[in-house]
Amino acid sequence: MPDPFRPEPRPSRRMPWSIIGIAVAVGILLLLFFLGTRVMQGDVFALDRRLLLALRGSDGVPIGSVRFTSMVRDVTALGGTTVLTIMVAFVALLLGSMGRWRTGALVAFACASGSWANVLVKHAVARARPDLVPHLMAETSNSFPSGHAANSAIVYLTLATLAWPLLRRPAARVFAMTAAVLLVMAIGASRVYLGVHWPSDVLAGWLFGALWAIGWWRIELRVLDGR
C-alpha cells in the first residue's frame, strides 16, 4: 500500500513541455497588452463582428437546433465559478488527504488568485458585453477578458499538469493534456456562440489563463523543489 507521507514528487515532472512551447511568456504579455490597450481605446475588431454574426442567422436566431444551444449552455457551465470552485476544492482536499497539503494549498491559491486577478483586469478595462446579437444567457459583469476562458484555462491546465507524473504511458499523458486543452477551447467557444463575449475577450482569457498557470507552476517548482 503506498505510503501517504512519502516525499512529494518533484513538480518539475508535472510540467508537459508542450505547454511551454505553446505559451511563451513574453509573447503572451505583449499580445495581452496590445489587446487590452486597443479595447480600452474603444476599438471593436472587425473579426469580432464577423465571427459573432456568422453564428447567427439572418433573423438573429443562433445557428443550430434548440438542443444544440442547450448543449452549449452545458459546456459553458463547465467554466463557471461554481463548477470550478467545487473541482478545485475537491482536488485540494484530496491532495491534503494524501499528505500533500503544500501542493493542495498551492493549487487552490493559484486558481483563486487567478480568478481575482481576472476580475481586476475586467474592472480596469471595463469593456461592455457585445450588443451586436441577443445574449442567450444573462451576464452583468464586464467583458474583457473572458472569465470563463481564463478560469477554465487556469484550472484545467493546472489539473492536467498535476496528473502528468501519475500517468506512466506517454499516450495517456498526451490524452490528458489534449483533453484539457480541447475542453478549455470548447468553453471559450461556447461564450462566443451564446453572444456574451467578443472573440477577442475569449482569446485574451485563454492567454491570461495559460500564462497564469505557467507562472504558478514556476512558483510551485521553487517552493517545493527549493530552487
Side-chain angles (χ1 to χ4, degrees):
M1 182 176 180
D3 179 10
F5 298 102
R6 69 184 184 277
E8 296 184 11
R10 293 171 63 87
S12 55
R13 297 182 58 201
R14 300 222 309 253
M15 186 62 182
W17 294 107
S18 58
I19 290 186
I20 297 178
I22 294 172
V24 178
V26 173
I28 292 177
L29 285 172
L30 289 174
L31 185 53
L32 280 172
F33 178 78
F34 170 77
L35 288 173
T37 53
R38 290 286 301 274
V39 168
M40 292 180 73
Q41 292 169 3
D43 289 352
V44 176
F45 303 104
L47 183 59
D48 276 344
R49 299 177 62 88
R50 285 200 296 268
L51 289 176
L52 271 180
L53 292 175
L55 297 174
R56 293 289 196 274
S58 57
D59 54 358
V61 176
I63 60 174
S65 64
V66 174
R67 180 176 177 80
F68 179 75
T69 302
S70 178
M71 292 170 60
V72 172
R73 289 194 182 98
D74 291 338
V75 171
T76 210
L78 297 176
T81 302
T82 301
V83 172
L84 294 180
T85 300
I86 292 173
M87 187 173 301
V88 171
F90 174 81
V91 171
L93 291 173
L94 178 62
L95 289 168
S97 70
M98 298 169 61
R100 297 175 179 171
W101 287 105
R102 291 176 301 170
T103 302
L106 281 170
V107 168
F109 188 74
C111 295
S113 60
S115 178
W116 299 332
N118 187 73
V119 170
L120 292 176
V121 176
K122 276 179 176 286
H123 285 304
V125 177
R127 188 186 202 183
R129 297 274 177 174
D131 58 1
L132 193 62
V133 297
H135 296 179
L136 302 182
M137 290 187 70
E139 295 288 355
T140 58
S141 63
N142 293 320
S143 192
F144 182 96
S146 166
H148 278 66
N151 293 332
S152 63
I154 293 170
V155 172
Y156 292 121
L157 292 181
T158 297
L159 296 184
T161 60
L162 189 67
W164 190 264
L166 305 178
L167 303 173
R168 301 302 180 187
R169 294 176 178 269
R173 291 179 170 183
V174 171
F175 174 81
M177 183 55 58
T178 301
V181 171
L182 290 178
L183 179 57
V184 170
M185 292 177 65
I187 291 170
S190 73
R191 306 302 286 167
V192 179
Y193 179 86
L194 295 173
V196 295
H197 275 298
W198 299 104
S200 56
D201 298 335
V202 171
L203 174 60
W206 284 337
L207 294 172
F208 179 90
L211 183 63
W212 197 269
I214 292 171
W216 271 95
W217 167 73
R218 292 297 304 174
I219 292 174
E220 181 190 2
L221 193 145
R222 288 181 176 276
V223 171
L224 298 186
D225 277 359
R227 295 185 180 182

